[in-house]
Amino acid sequence: ETGVTQTPRHLVMGMTNKKSLKCEQHLGHNAMYWYKQSAKKPLELMFVYNFKEQTENNSVPSRFSPECPNSSHLFLHLHTLQPEDSALYLCASSQELGQGLYNYGYTFGSGTRLTVV
Amino acid sequence: LAKITQPISMDSYEGQEVNITCSHNNIATNDYITWYQQFPSQGPRFIIQGYKTKVTNEVASLFIPADRKSSTLSLPRVSLSDTAVYYCLVGDLVDSSYKLIFGSGTRLLVRP
């Protein structure tokens, strides 16, 4: 366990379903992130939250909706997804958000493997 | 956007030293260089971080030249369990906006 827990580990959903991914960290970190990792592509940053406030939306389609009720929890709500959205979705946290990773950088969860059918 | 390049894959044998180089010619002035390791179906795991010259910890060394436009991750005496994908991460200023950029990853295969 890294200190960042993601549930579920695996998810299969139809294109008309609505589901949510959950991320939880008890590391005392103030910044949380969602990344998408597809086969043969680098890690793509989706959303950034700092002290519960969204600071970045990296041109993500509206069928992905993030929520950060507090600094320890992060959700990704999914609806009307497409098969090309199938990927590993990774949550990460860091001590703070800012220029320069002068701490130990990100702590990642194990991810949710999402398959859209 | 920063162009970060890493070799797509590397092969090695147990007991050898492996050096993986990342090119990041637009690294932000105040930014650090961080390397991560990722096993299948797991999230990336921090390995090492540095700003310049050389950094060493219990698992790896990181060499950064004076111009900081590249960095080399050195894994001494690799074992089969070091088979993984290795990513470098740097920050970049894009239109005055700070972005953290992952390289595309280097898939290391360690053979017996």
Side-chain angles (χ1 to χ4, degrees), chain A residues 7 14 45 107-108:
Chain A
T7 54
L45 179 64
T107 301
F108 282 87

Side-chain angles (χ1 to χ4, degrees), chain B residues 64-101:
Chain B
I64 305 168
D67 66 5
R68 300 189 351 104
K69 293 183 184 300
S70 66
S71 60
T72 298
L73 173 71
S74 181
L75 305 172
R77 298 179 298 281
V78 292
S79 64
L80 297 177
S81 62
D82 292 318
T83 293
V85 180
Y86 293 83
Y87 295 94
C88 72
L89 170 71
V90 300
D92 188 28
L93 281 173
V94 181
D95 298 327
S96 302
S97 173
Y98 176 76
K99 302 260 184 205
L100 283 167
I101 315 279

Side-chain angles (χ1 to χ4, degrees), chain B residues 11-16 78-83 109-112:
Chain B
D11 277 18
S12 184
Y13 291 92
E14 279 191 295
Q16 289 189 332
V78 292
S79 64
L80 297 177
S81 62
D82 292 318
T83 293
L109 174 62
V110 180
R111 302 176 187 275

Side-chain angles (χ1 to χ4, degrees), chain A residues 9 33 35 37 41-43 45 56 58 88 90 98-106 108-111 113, chain B residues 28-32 34 36 38 41-46 49 87 89 93 97-100 102-105:
Chain A
R9 289 297 307 273
Y33 314 80
Y35 277 87
Q37 188 173 38
K41 277 191 173 182
L43 285 152
L45 179 64
E56 187 162 345
N58 210 22
L88 180 68
L90 290 160
Q99 189 165 342
L101 295 174
Y102 38 84
N103 51 33
Y104 285 99
Y106 296 154
F108 282 87
S110 296
R113 174 69 62 186
Chain B
T29 303
N30 297 328
D31 214 13
Y32 279 62
T34 314
Y36 288 82
Q38 187 178 25
S41 299
Q42 293 186 27
R45 184 174 70 99
F46 172 89
Q49 182 182 73
Y87 295 94
L89 170 71
L93 281 173
S97 173
Y98 176 76
K99 302 260 184 205
L100 283 167
F102 275 89
S104 54

Side-chain angles (χ1 to χ4, degrees), chain A residues 16-115:
Chain A
T16 58
N17 290 159
K18 288 185 180 181
K19 296 287 184 183
S20 295
L21 310 184
K22 181 182 176 182
C23 176
E24 185 174 353
Q25 59 92 6
H26 295 289
L27 300 170
H29 289 173
N30 297 311
M32 297 187 77
Y33 314 80
W34 279 117
Y35 277 87
K36 176 183 178 182
Q37 188 173 38
S38 309
K40 301 178 183 177
K41 277 191 173 182
L43 285 152
E44 301 173 68
L45 179 64
M46 300 175 73
F47 301 106
V48 180
Y49 277 83
N50 193 37
F51 290 94
K52 305 188 301 177
E53 299 299 319
Q54 187 179 128
T55 59
E56 187 162 345
N57 175 339
N58 210 22
S59 303
V60 181
S62 59
R63 57 185 183 271
F64 295 91
S65 175
E67 179 191 0
C68 188
N70 54 61
S71 292
S72 299
H73 294 86
L74 186 64
F75 295 89
L76 188 62
H77 304 299
L78 316 171
H79 64 98
T80 58
L81 294 192
Q82 304 297 313
E84 60 264 29
D85 297 321
S86 298
L88 180 68
Y89 288 86
L90 290 160
C91 172
S93 69
S94 65
Q95 182 64 44
E96 59 188 76
L97 176 69
Q99 189 165 342
L101 295 174
Y102 38 84
N103 51 33
Y104 285 99
Y106 296 154
T107 301
F108 282 87
S110 296
T112 294
R113 174 69 62 186
L114 174 67
T115 304

